[in-house]
Amino acid sequence: GAVVSQHPSWVICKSGTSVKIECRSLDFQATTMFWYRQFPKQSLMLMATSNEGSKATYEQGVEKDKFLINHASLTLSTLTVTSAHPEDSSFYICSAETGYYNEQFFGPGTRLTVL
Amino acid sequence: KNQVEQSPQSLIILEGKNCTLQCNYTVSPFSNLRWYKQDTGRGPVSLTIMTFSENTKSNGRYTATLDADTKQSSLHITASQLSDSASYICVVSAPQAGTALIFGKGTTLSVSS
């Protein structure tokens, strides 16, 4: 089946620093990838839709200057959390879209902790 | 308003027992309905995906049903195992609604020995 990887799986950083999270589709090409964040005991919340070769589309309330998304190739999208603050601590999950149903295959997630 | 409601919020069952999780949605029209399993600290994994014309779909011990008239879906788990302990999320795809996927809040299932 379609496999999506994320790196790193967890990261701890100091407040004010920037953190980059990579999302890769390992065995398929994905024109569209998605970035979600999930707080404890909550459902996934879509942050942005990432399209290869074009600017990402951000959901209402998500700061595009804080959460920089780059979809440089059909197998890689990156999310950079700039000037991270403790309130940015969360579980970030990416997904890549493929197939007849435009099914989304999710990565394993990245746990970000900002001290 | 497009919504996906799941019940129960949480469920505890004994190993080997069966259980059924419910999903009601108000999304219309929709493309397909999906059930995902999410282990703690992991990304969701797809169990089933059904279009509006499909009534049932199975994946091993997991069987999903869909009634597009009543806008209800269920996920039945047979002969539960400890490894079934996870959050089960119902997701509706409705591109026409302007949002690619609409997520339910999930049902947390705990299987005990």
Side-chain angles (χ1 to χ4, degrees):
Chain A
V3 179
V4 176
S5 70
Q6 279 185 243
H7 178 79
S9 56
W10 60 270
V11 57
I12 301 173
C13 69
K14 292 183 178 180
S15 184
T17 60
S18 294
V19 175
K20 180 185 284 189
I21 303 170
E22 292 185 349
C23 176
R24 293 182 184 272
S25 56
L26 298 185
D27 50 1
F28 66 98
Q29 294 183 328
T31 304
T32 304
M33 291 184 173
F34 303 86
W35 286 96
Y36 298 85
R37 65 188 298 180
Q38 185 178 33
F39 294 105
K41 299 190 184 300
Q42 299 288 319
S43 190
L44 281 72
M45 292 173 47
L46 179 65
M47 298 175 65
T49 302
S50 169
N51 295 297
E52 187 267 337
S54 64
K55 292 184 178 180
T57 303
Y58 291 82
E59 294 298 301
Q60 190 173 9
V62 178
E63 300 175 58
K64 61 181 179 181
D65 294 330
K66 180 171 185 60
F67 298 99
L68 301 179
I69 291 173
N70 183 21
H71 195 154
S73 76
L74 289 173
T75 60
L76 173 64
S77 176
T78 60
L79 168 68
T80 301
V81 183
T82 63
S83 187
H85 290 284
E87 56 265 31
D88 297 324
S89 298
S90 188
F91 192 51
Y92 292 86
I93 305 173
C94 74
S95 71
E97 188 177 79
T98 187
Y100 177 76
Y101 291 113
N102 287 332
E103 186 169 359
Q104 289 188 29
F105 292 89
F106 290 85
T110 296
R111 172 75 58 192
L112 171 63
T113 302
V114 184
L115 302 177
Chain B
K1 182 178 179 182
N2 291 316
Q3 286 186 315
V4 177
E5 302 285 344
Q6 290 188 243
S7 63
Q9 184 176 1
S10 62
L11 182 62
I12 301 173
I13 62 173
L14 290 175
E15 185 179 14
K17 297 296 185 181
N18 303 335
C19 67
T20 301
L21 313 180
Q22 300 291 341
C23 174
N24 296 334
Y25 60 94
T26 58
V27 181
S28 182
F30 80 105
S31 295
N32 52 70
L33 185 145
R34 313 150 187 228
W35 282 94
Y36 287 91
K37 176 187 178 187
Q38 185 178 21
D39 292 312
T40 302
R42 305 290 293 174
V45 174
S46 179
L47 295 176
T48 64
I49 181 168
M50 294 182 290
T51 65
F52 63 89
S53 62
E54 296 177 284
N55 300 120
T56 184
K57 183 163 284 188
S58 293
N59 178 2
R61 294 181 297 102
Y62 302 102
T63 299
T65 65
L66 173 63
D67 186 334
D69 292 331
T70 61
K71 294 185 170 57
Q72 294 179 327
S73 177
S74 66
L75 180 69
H76 186 75
I77 304 174
T78 304
S80 61
Q81 301 175 358
L82 297 178
S83 58
D84 292 332
S85 297
S87 178
Y88 291 84
I89 306 171
C90 176
V91 182
V92 176
S93 172
Q96 301 92 327
T99 301
L101 295 181
I102 302 171
F103 287 78
K105 292 186 177 181
T107 293
T108 301
L109 174 65
S110 298
V111 181
S112 60
S113 57

